[in-house]
Amino acid sequence: MFVDSYKHKGMRRLMIKALQEKGISDQRVLEAMNEVPRHFFLDSSLDVLAYEDRALEILCKQTISQPSTVAFQTQLLDVSPFQKVLEIGTGSGYQTSVLCKMKARVFTIERFKPLHNSAQIMFDVLKVSPQCFFGDGYLGLPAFAPFDRILITCAAPSIPKVLVNQLKVGGVMVAPIGEESQIMYRIQKNSDSEIDIQSYGEFKFVPMLKERKFC
Ligand code: SAH
């Protein structure tokens, strides 16, 4: 059922080349994205579009982020092997799989049950093992904190303080912040009372909403 043909592999290499031309230079990110067949995460009717640089619809009217956004966020996150990474918004599981291929220890939260369930099927197919949670990402995962890295893949209206509290000192959070459109922030936690914020241009994400849903 999940076939990664020569044609798919070829399209994926072209996608990687396009990402390099757009300024993605971190080899670890490029290699991980070359290892994850993005078309596995999409309805088969979207197969031909899977390697174009566009966001596409998944279950529950959510979207898989466009490849350049995944690459940009992952490069900003600057993940090393064995680091503990919390992802808010499992969605299709594509970004989660990229982080797993970079050998991070990934904890991921999704508020929609059907997405939470279908992503886990993909993790089995790709033989990656993130810890998956059905819940409200605004609450984070206090029982597993602190994290080296936190990645938010939906649009938060402001920097979620609860999540900053779950970051290690020296840790980094990457998050799109804003209502209509968002600014990408890289937030570094310098001490328990001080954060350093850098901004990286405008993006468009589905909103981060409270409470769990069944679609
Ligand atoms: N990383 C995903 C992107 C999915 S879009 C991928 O690679 O496919 C963002 C996801 O965030 C959606 O699935 C949405 O349901 C989820 N989301 C929104 N608010 C959330 C919250 N409070 N907690 C957990 N997930 C949330």
Side-chain angles (χ1 to χ4, degrees), residues 58 62-65 70 87-96 109-112 115 135-138 153-154 206-211:
I58 52 176
Q62 301 303 302
T63 55
I64 181 172
S65 301
V70 172
E87 179 195 29
I88 312 298
T90 315
S92 67
Y94 176 70
Q95 169 77 75
T96 321
I109 313 178
E110 173 56 52
R111 73 185 280 266
F112 278 121
L115 285 166
D136 180 354
Y138 272 109
T153 70
C154 39
V206 293
M208 183 167 174
L209 300 169
K210 292 189 198 293
E211 293 166 15

Side-chain angles (χ1 to χ4, degrees), residues 28 31-32 35 79-85 96-106 128-129:
R28 298 170 303 169
E31 275 166 31
E35 275 182 58
V79 180
S80 300
F82 311 116
Q83 280 187 328
K84 264 169 80 180
V85 180
T96 321
S97 303
V98 170
L99 292 169
C100 289
K101 290 289 181 188
M102 294 175 79
K103 301 191 173 56
R105 287 187 288 148
V106 186
V128 292
S129 315

Side-chain angles (χ1 to χ4, degrees), residues 1-191:
M1 183 178 155
F2 293 104
V3 180
D4 192 24
S5 68
Y6 284 112
K7 192 175 163 205
H8 290 119
K9 288 189 170 84
M11 289 194 290
R12 200 151 63 244
R13 268 195 295 275
L14 290 177
M15 176 188 85
I16 300 297
K17 210 165 153 252
L19 291 174
Q20 284 175 304
E21 281 160 11
K22 285 183 177 160
I24 304 299
S25 55
D26 187 334
Q27 282 305 317
R28 298 170 303 169
V29 175
L30 295 167
E31 275 166 31
M33 288 184 70
N34 198 32
E35 275 182 58
V36 181
R38 189 171 183 259
H39 66 282
F40 283 11
F41 296 82
L42 295 164
D43 187 271
S44 57
S45 65
L46 298 172
D47 204 84
V48 289
L49 301 177
Y51 295 99
E52 290 192 8
D53 195 18
R54 51 192 277 186
L56 294 164
E57 190 164 323
I58 52 176
L59 297 173
C60 307
K61 299 229 175 311
Q62 301 303 302
T63 55
I64 181 172
S65 301
Q66 66 189 86
S68 58
T69 301
V70 172
F72 192 77
Q73 284 199 293
T74 312
Q75 180 163 282
L76 272 187
L77 202 62
D78 190 25
V79 180
S80 300
F82 311 116
Q83 280 187 328
K84 264 169 80 180
V85 180
L86 173 64
E87 179 195 29
I88 312 298
T90 315
S92 67
Y94 176 70
Q95 169 77 75
T96 321
S97 303
V98 170
L99 292 169
C100 289
K101 290 289 181 188
M102 294 175 79
K103 301 191 173 56
R105 287 187 288 148
V106 186
F107 299 74
T108 184
I109 313 178
E110 173 56 52
R111 73 185 280 266
F112 278 121
K113 187 75 169 165
L115 285 166
H116 166 74
N117 290 343
S118 64
Q120 289 186 70
I121 296 171
M122 296 315 307
F123 301 142
D124 288 343
V125 169
L126 294 179
K127 299 189 171 55
V128 292
S129 315
Q131 294 204 41
C132 302
F133 299 84
F134 170 48
D136 180 354
Y138 272 109
L139 307 175
L141 291 174
F144 296 89
F147 297 94
D148 297 288
R149 300 285 184 265
I150 298 180
L151 177 62
I152 306 185
T153 70
C154 39
S158 59
I159 299 171
K161 282 224 174 56
V162 173
L163 297 181
V164 174
N165 288 341
Q166 294 182 20
L167 202 55
K168 280 186 192 169
V169 170
V172 169
M173 179 190 298
V174 171
I177 304 294
E179 312 264 359
E180 283 301 301
S181 69
Q182 295 80 41
I183 302 292
M184 191 68 75
Y185 283 159
R186 184 180 197 271
I187 298 139
Q188 176 134 7
K189 185 164 172 176
N190 295 332
S191 70

